Amino acid sequence: MSEIALGGLLIGALVLFVLLGVHIAVALTAIGFAGVWLMREDLELAMRLMYLSAYNGVADYIFATIPLFVLMGLLVSISNVGKDTFDVAESLLRRVRGGLGVATVLANTVFAAVTGVSIASAAVFTRVAVPEMVRHGYRTSFAAGTVAGSSVLGMMIPPSLLLIIYGVLAEQSIGKLFVAGLIPGLLLAVVFAAMIMLMARFTPGLVFDLKRHAELATGRSTARLLGTGEMLSKLVPIAALVLLVLGGLYTGFFTPTEAGGIGAFGAFVIALLRRSLGGGNLWRVLTETGAVSVGILILLVAAGFYSRMLSVAGVPVAISDMVQGAGLGPYGFLFLYVVILLLLGMILDSSSILLIMTPVAVPIATDLGFNLIHFGIITVIAVEIGLLTPPFGISVFTVKSTLNDPKVSVESIFAGSLPFVGVMLLVLVVIAIFPVLALALT
């Protein structure tokens, strides 16, 4: 068997391992080790490559961004910043038809700028936004779908853990990826909000429980009107943190790692001032930060080893030659790549898809002339769509688990999030056709 055929077989074995429930890091390491050993028939070489991957895999100080941004996000989550942001958005948009849905998107957009994790956004706003939307006559499935759909902004608007992972695997500047994600993230948020307002106007039956909605005072919102001083008190902490972190990044005053450190310290001060660290909360935040960070770093080490195995097998070069020989061209390859990502999104989590596909796709994209920053933004959007597609749809299951309401089925939440999938596909096509949207600020 040729090395190319063996490499293809090992990629298939990796997907099979993951589907069987083997931890992705274990599967990547085992497949990488077996591949090098079988292709070179040298056990010592396989051991040496695994050692080098483990030793050098996360040695760069840029990897400190991962625990720092995770810590910042968790500190913000326990400080009720998400609820405050939603309260302000609800008050400002109380007279807009579909305003609570738009408020959820707006609050998620702001929250995404300090968390970087879609699951955190989904959990926070399920508790905050869904009960409020239902109370105002929205369909529960639409309310839950809106939270699940808008939670994906957490992985596009910087800081984003997926952009960090892609940057590491593709050897691209994380700072440039963060800057590149801003316009696509804001574009997604704007189109989400426009879609909700259009649905509320032209297909109200999909948005509102019409009977319940009719019982409410016509044209009047029961949302509590916040005074200017109260709005400012609720917005100042999150606004200050966003300006501190993103302002420092975009002006070049902070490196991504320094921005993570400053952001984590700022979030700690906010949590301290709000007295949110008592009752064991600080210890829970620290232990969860460690668990999440170590899990991601181990995955990156395993992915580095797996990437070395693919290089030894010559898989990226062979696929690149195949694509060019077939005359598909750059956009033909991009179409097939996105389709594969969408299919994988139905069965795997976002990090696993990046770890499997990035080492294969990036060399091909380079040969075909893609800007790898632009390519990374397309990749992350396509991967994020998988958070909303059955049967895996981790954001949907997070909403279902947090909601803990037997009357709300998983299927209804998937249905509620379906319009957001359509919008994301549209934005994906637009960004693929117009790279300037991702590269204008870099």
Side-chain angles (χ1 to χ4, degrees), residues 187-196 199 381 385 417-430:
L187 178 62
L188 269 176
V190 169
V191 181
F192 282 166
M195 177 200 71
I196 290 170
M199 288 181 66
I381 294 176
I385 294 174
S417 62
L418 190 60
F420 292 88
V421 173
V423 165
M424 292 183 73
L425 287 171
L426 174 63
V427 171
L428 177 63
V429 171
V430 170

Side-chain angles (χ1 to χ4, degrees), residues 345-362:
M346 295 181 180
I347 55 176
L348 297 175
D349 65 277
S350 303
S351 299
S352 299
I353 297 170
L354 279 183
L355 293 166
I356 292 171
M357 292 301 299
T358 303
V360 177
V362 164

